[in-house]
Amino acid sequence: MKNIEMHFFYPYCLFFTLGKIKIMWYNLCRNENCGIITDKRTAMNSFQVRGFNPCESLLRHTPEQLTAFIRRMKELDFNSIIIHSDYGWMRYRELIERECRNAGVEITLMVFGPRTFFSLTDWQSRWFAKDENGKPFSAVPECETHPCAAEPEAIEAFQEGAEKYIASLPCSIKRLHMRAGDGLMFCRCEKCRNIPEHEQYQPFVAAFVRAAKKVRPDLKLETDLYIKRYAVPRDPEPYRELDRLMFDTFYRHPFFPIGSKNDQCNRFVMQYAAPEGWADADTPNEFYLKRLNEWNDLFPGKLYIHENVMCQGYWGVPQYNTGVYLADLDLYRKLRLAGVCYEAYEPGYPAFEKIFTQLAQGKRSGAVPELEKILPQSGLKVFCHDASFPFEKYLDPFYAKLARWFAKMLETGLNAAEFRELVTFEWDNELLLDPVLVGYAAARGGMLKGNLRFDDLSGAAQDLISRRKLWDFMEDIPPDQDPRQVCKDLIFEFVQKVRDN
């Protein structure tokens, strides 16, 4: 799984084993506070941070979609949005600043430090994370680029690039978040391989802090605690200089609350969540609560949660776990965390509108969906990953069709006819779904899985299907072209040229 070519869909797909493991019944889940919560103290408005992170999706939005998304935040009483400066900020800056100002929403600008800071220098590929043979994983700075901590020049260049980037920020930006990619391509060179990932990353957090204090001491700063970087480093002082810390719950099991030990079907992904030798829990949900408590004890009031497993990304198939997220809010309030930020964006949002409305209110209203009762006991990691699941029994025909396509793609792969049908369906329903991401993912996934081939692609189409991440391709589209339309044209080129392998 460490081969990045296996990451053609979001790494949360790593959650799922092929076998079915019997999980605790729903009543047990209720005993862990996953049941109906009506205590008004759990309302989102008890948190300082109540936000959305559209992640790398901005260029998949039309201007109208992005406008609607931000305006809805005011209705939900959400007050924070994370905007990725690497992916769409320059194109949509005026719109985002205007709409956020009108909605009373604070902007946190998020930058992929290794990608962007190195890009502003005369970078050398030897500064990038390397495999066991010393070969850099990245040929150029990109989303998944991690740095090599054994290269002193890399740390110096990282700070140099950070200073240039920060100096270029408009005065309207008051809060900056520095992040690294979500892949597993940490450095394994001879010097780095025995250094835990959270220790490899610490010097670059320090360089980011130095750069900001030098160039814009007024900036509010933050970074994230993320894949294999959840443990507290030996020298946490650079983190003390930050105004906030994002605790990203990637790899959690979304059908059980943080701290649960009942996510046993997910225990194998501890190898991805924690560095070797640092897994002091059986499951990610249990592991995360331990780390969350450690950081919160060290820096009380600074931490907020990023809920990064909304499963909205590819298909817009709804998952039902409102009770779990409400239980989590209760825990976060008791820990006196700064708040919570959810992954969300407009393409595909209709399938999730109800859950966010209920989370904003801090209580569940109406009947509990049957799927929310059945999923925790089903042994399924996310229900739509099993082609034998009776989707039609629990979902309306529209979402059942999507779920079945998704399950077949992951289990056996789509054939050429199914790929054509899926892409056409997505674009026929583009106001409800996320057709750019689905088209790219299904094409690239089918190619890597070996089910599909695409003959005689144009140079642009070949470039798109070869990219590790869609958003790196979209950001490179010239500003005088519509990135959504460019991708649509290339996806329909895939439709015309797809063949069964």
Side-chain angles (χ1 to χ4, degrees):
M1 296 301 296
K2 290 186 177 181
N3 184 342
I4 194 63
E5 290 301 325
M6 299 186 71
H7 294 179
F8 61 88
F9 46 85
Y10 281 136
Y12 62 65
C13 293
L14 293 172
F15 294 170
F16 317 122
T17 57
L18 294 176
K20 288 189 176 181
I21 305 171
K22 186 174 177 66
I23 308 301
M24 297 294 182
W25 288 85
Y26 179 65
N27 284 340
L28 180 56
C29 183
R30 289 174 63 89
N31 289 338
E32 292 190 285
N33 297 321
C34 298
I36 298 174
I37 296 175
T38 57
D39 187 342
K40 291 184 179 180
R41 292 175 302 167
T42 65
M44 282 290 288
N45 62 19
S46 65
F47 293 113
Q48 179 185 357
V49 177
R50 309 183 299 278
F52 279 143
N53 180 6
C55 295
E56 302 91 349
S57 72
L58 291 183
L59 295 178
R60 304 202 305 271
H61 289 74
T62 64
E64 294 76 17
Q65 286 179 317
L66 188 54
T67 299
F69 182 82
I70 296 172
R71 290 181 179 179
R72 188 189 297 110
M73 293 182 67
K74 185 173 184 178
E75 299 171 12
L76 294 172
D77 194 27
F78 277 25
N79 64 1
S80 304
I81 192 169
I82 295 173
I83 298 295
H84 288 231
S85 74
D86 306 74
Y87 303 113
W89 161 246
M90 295 305 296
R91 190 181 295 263
Y92 282 134
R93 174 190 162 186
E94 182 179 346
L95 183 157
I96 291 169
E97 290 196 314
R98 180 187 69 244
E99 294 299 330
C100 286
R101 183 170 55 251
N102 292 341
V105 171
E106 178 188 57
I107 298 172
T108 295
L109 201 61
M110 175 179 279
V111 58
F112 279 86
R115 176 193 182 274
T116 298
F117 298 166
F118 283 144
S119 296
L120 295 174
T121 69
D122 295 327
W123 56 269
Q124 306 292 321
S125 61
R126 60 185 173 84
W127 298 345
F128 305 158
K130 309 170 184 68
D131 63 19
E132 290 82 351
N133 298 315
K135 180 182 179 181
F137 289 113
S138 302
V140 298
E142 57 181 311
C143 175
E144 292 299 341
T145 298
H146 281 288
C148 174
E151 295 279 353
E153 289 183 9
I155 301 173
E156 294 173 7
F158 191 90
Q159 180 172 339
E160 175 192 343
E163 291 176 8
K164 292 179 179 179
Y165 171 82
I166 292 169
S168 73
L169 294 178
C171 294
S172 56
I173 293 301
K174 307 297 185 183
R175 187 175 294 276
L176 180 63
H177 181 115
M178 191 274 290
R179 186 179 180 91
D182 59 13
L184 295 166
M185 298 189 297
F186 294 96
C187 195
R188 301 169 204 155
C189 73
E190 186 175 357
K191 293 182 179 179
C192 288
R193 68 185 59 168
N194 295 319
I195 303 174
E197 285 81 355
H198 62 283
E199 297 289 1
Q200 290 186 33
Y201 196 62
Q202 190 268 3
F204 297 95
V205 175
F208 167 63
V209 170
R210 289 194 299 270
K213 296 300 182 184
K214 178 179 178 181
V215 178
R216 280 277 306 270
D218 62 299
L219 271 180
K220 301 293 185 181
L221 305 177
E222 59 181 66
T223 192
D224 50 357
L225 311 173
Y226 198 31
I227 297 172
K228 291 202 172 188
R229 296 191 277 107
Y230 292 105
V232 177
R234 289 169 296 177
D235 177 14
E237 285 306 304
Y239 293 86
R240 196 176 302 279
E241 297 293 321
L242 302 173
D243 297 277
R244 287 180 188 163
L245 287 169
M246 172 198 280
F247 192 100
D248 196 313
T249 60
F250 212 49
Y251 286 134
R252 70 163 296 169
H253 196 302
F255 301 144
F256 299 95
I258 294 296
S260 172
K261 299 180 182 181
N262 288 333
D263 55 325
Q264 294 295 316
C265 57
N266 204 27
R267 62 187 301 174
F268 85 103
V269 301
M270 283 301 299
Q271 63 184 305
Y272 307 114
E276 186 176 353
W278 288 79
D280 60 349
D282 286 338
T283 70
N285 288 32
E286 180 186 8
F287 176 75
Y288 287 153
L289 183 55
K290 289 186 175 185
R291 304 289 81 76
L292 182 59
N293 280 323
E294 289 175 353
W295 282 99
N296 197 40
D297 287 345
L298 193 61
F299 303 120
K302 282 192 177 184
L303 271 72
Y304 71 96
I305 299 294
H306 182 216
E307 195 58 71
N308 197 1
V309 192
M310 299 307 292
C311 299
Q312 179 181 357
Y314 273 60
W315 314 99
V317 180
Q319 66 176 0
Y320 293 91
N321 58 353
T322 313
V324 170
Y325 285 153
L326 287 170
D328 286 341
L329 289 180
D330 198 37
L331 170 66
Y332 303 152
R333 181 178 56 81
K334 291 176 182 177
L335 293 176
R336 300 182 182 275
L337 300 188
V340 61
C341 185
Y342 296 99
E343 174 193 1
Y345 31 85
E346 197 63 17
Y349 187 88
F352 293 81
E353 186 168 7
K354 187 176 294 185
I355 186 174
F356 286 128
T357 299
Q358 292 170 351
L359 288 174
Q361 295 171 348
K363 60 184 179 180
R364 185 184 306 165
S365 58
V368 178
E370 190 66 21
L371 270 175
E372 189 154 351
K373 300 177 183 178
I374 205 72
L375 289 174
Q377 58 164 306
S378 66
L380 300 171
K381 306 338 151 258
V382 170
F383 70 94
C384 55
H385 285 234
D386 184 352
S388 68
F389 192 86
F391 305 113
E392 292 75 11
K393 181 178 178 180
Y394 300 104
L395 295 172
D396 66 43
F398 182 88
Y399 289 118
K401 180 181 291 189
L402 285 173
R404 196 158 292 289
W405 267 318
F406 191 16
K408 190 171 191 304
M409 173 184 167
L410 293 178
E411 284 208 342
T412 62
L414 301 177
N415 61 35
E418 290 165 336
F419 172 79
R420 296 188 196 99
E421 185 182 2
L422 170 61
V423 170
T424 302
F425 182 85
E426 288 279 333
W427 283 101
D428 285 346
N429 296 279
E430 62 179 300
L431 297 181
L432 299 174
L433 302 174
D434 193 353
V436 175
L437 186 56
V438 171
Y440 159 81
R444 180 168 169 79
M447 179 187 71
L448 295 177
K449 204 174 186 72
N451 289 58
L452 305 178
R453 75 175 195 271
F454 300 88
D455 297 332
D456 302 319
L457 289 176
S458 65
Q462 186 63 49
D463 184 14
L464 172 58
I465 205 170
S466 300
R467 295 286 186 120
R468 271 194 275 259
K469 292 296 175 74
L470 167 65
W471 27 96
D472 280 325
F473 176 86
M474 296 190 80
E475 184 69 9
D476 288 344
I477 294 172
D480 61 342
Q481 299 179 31
D482 179 349
R484 207 165 177 273
Q485 185 62 48
V486 169
C487 289
K488 180 179 181 179
D489 293 343
L490 297 176
I491 288 167
F492 275 96
E493 181 178 343
F494 295 153
V495 168
Q496 294 170 359
K497 297 181 178 180
V498 66
R499 300 290 184 271
D500 290 316
N501 203 7

